[in-house]
Amino acid sequence: MTIFKRNPFGHVLFIKKVLIRVLGIISHRRYHGFNKLHIEGSEIIRDLPPNKVLFIANHQTYFADVAAMLHVFNASLKGRVDSLKNVGYIWHPKLNIYYVAAKETMKAGLLPKIFAYTGSVSIDRTWRSAGQNVKRQVKMSDISNIKKALDDGWVITFPQGTTKPFNPIRRGTAHIIKTHKPIVIPIVIDGFRRSFDKKGLLIKKKGVLQSMVIKEPLEIDYENESIDDIVTKIEYAIEQHPSFLKVIPVKELEAYKKQEQELNKKRNFWN
């Protein structure tokens, strides 16, 4: 039966649609209510093919960043121009949007597991586990799952693999780009760190102007550019190259860190 149609990861599309609707309605005011999301470049979304598109972005919270992108993508596909006005766009969402996330994050409680059903491609991080630095081999199944998601639709990834600003770009993203040759769309976000706690669930401050800038596709010579070349392009495209540090006040970064630490002490949600 059509109602039980599944995506390549075995998720029932009807259930996924219902979850996206409910979560979209609940989260809408975070971006078009007590906080505002300023959007630029959403018209680019409407011109993209249905699959083999990789979105690369800087990362500020675990969940609020992805939720905002799902809102913006679906609003754009329904004809909104840089706007989230009228949440009705979420009623028939694009169901083949995926996002790459750490497996341990998506298993840390009931709510992350629900989020995972909406489109997570969960992978084992090769450099970090349970708060400790590690070194381990990339799982071939993780690479295969990212390819599967690209073949089916759009994939969102955060090349730094962390919410800490100006951390190095993980070379795995460049390998994915060079190997699978997707259209690469850079996105730069700001304000989420001021609005939300680190997980992107608790509200830290209202009245914050968040921003999302969607850029034109990266020009990449898949055959001749090296992994290092692509890494550098990613750094500049998502404005995380060290040269951008000079425009970020150090005191502001320290203030973010202190706020997050205080909220982490108070948070019992995940226990």
Side-chain angles (χ1 to χ4, degrees):
M1 295 177 65
T2 304
I3 195 171
F4 295 117
K5 185 177 179 181
R6 297 172 182 267
N7 67 13
F9 297 94
H11 297 148
V12 177
L13 293 182
F14 175 75
I15 296 175
K16 181 174 180 177
K17 179 186 288 187
V18 171
L19 289 175
I20 292 173
R21 286 174 177 173
V22 172
L23 294 172
I25 292 169
I26 291 172
S27 62
H28 184 247
R29 289 186 66 241
R30 292 176 166 224
Y31 313 108
H32 191 75
F34 49 78
N35 284 331
K36 294 290 185 182
L37 179 62
H38 175 76
I39 308 163
E40 294 181 25
S42 67
E43 69 279 358
I44 292 169
I45 300 297
R46 293 196 294 275
D47 295 330
L48 296 173
N51 65 335
K52 291 208 77 170
V53 177
L54 182 70
F55 296 90
I56 55 172
N58 61 311
H59 203 17
Q60 295 196 342
T61 71
Y62 290 176
F63 300 115
D65 306 5
V66 170
M69 291 178 196
L70 292 177
H71 274 287
V72 172
F73 295 175
N74 281 291
S76 177
L77 292 172
K78 296 301 186 296
R80 294 355 181 240
V81 179
D82 294 342
S83 172
L84 298 182
K85 186 177 181 180
N86 185 354
V87 75
Y89 58 75
I90 207 70
W91 197 247
H92 293 291
K94 181 176 172 64
L95 295 177
N96 57 344
I97 300 177
Y98 303 95
Y99 56 95
V100 179
K103 191 174 293 183
E104 63 182 78
T105 299
M106 304 314 295
K107 288 185 175 181
L110 177 60
L111 196 53
K113 289 177 182 176
I114 294 173
F115 289 158
Y117 205 95
T118 67
S120 170
V121 180
S122 301
I123 65 170
D124 284 318
R125 288 186 293 194
T126 59
W127 68 95
R128 191 86 171 160
S129 179
Q132 302 295 321
N133 292 329
V134 298
K135 278 189 176 182
R136 56 189 176 197
Q137 294 292 320
V138 175
K139 284 188 175 181
M140 294 308 297
S141 58
D142 289 345
I143 297 173
S144 175
N145 282 337
I146 293 173
K147 179 183 184 301
K148 188 187 299 183
L150 281 170
D151 288 342
D152 186 58
W154 297 354
V155 177
I156 300 165
T157 189
F158 302 98
Q160 293 164 288
T162 176
T163 57
K164 294 179 181 178
F166 298 101
N167 260 39
I169 301 297
R170 297 289 166 184
R171 292 169 63 86
T173 301
H175 280 286
I176 291 168
I177 292 170
K178 191 168 176 66
T179 301
H180 300 302
K181 302 175 177 58
I183 294 173
V184 181
I185 306 294
I187 296 178
V188 177
I189 62 169
D190 192 28
F192 292 80
R193 192 177 281 111
R194 293 190 291 275
S195 301
F196 307 106
D197 70 319
K198 186 175 182 179
K199 288 189 169 65
L201 298 174
L202 300 180
I203 307 297
K204 284 202 308 191
K205 189 176 181 180
K206 296 182 180 181
V208 174
L209 180 62
Q210 305 151 344
S211 66
M212 181 182 300
V213 178
I214 302 165
K215 299 185 177 183
E216 295 285 349
L218 278 185
E219 293 185 6
I220 300 172
D221 184 339
Y222 300 103
E223 302 300 330
N224 298 313
E225 289 190 22
S226 69
I227 295 299
D228 288 337
D229 291 335
I230 296 174
V231 165
T232 300
K233 279 193 173 181
I234 293 172
E235 286 180 327
Y236 279 106
I238 65 173
E239 299 181 10
Q240 292 295 297
H241 187 271
S243 63
F244 286 92
L245 266 170
K246 61 185 178 183
V247 301
I248 305 295
V250 175
K251 287 185 179 179
E252 188 176 342
L253 294 177
E254 289 300 319
Y256 293 156
K257 186 176 180 180
K258 186 175 181 180
Q259 282 180 317
E260 288 169 0
Q261 287 174 342
E262 290 301 317
L263 277 169
N264 285 336
K265 290 178 183 177
K266 296 176 183 179
R267 189 190 300 114
N268 294 315
F269 183 88
W270 301 101
N271 295 334

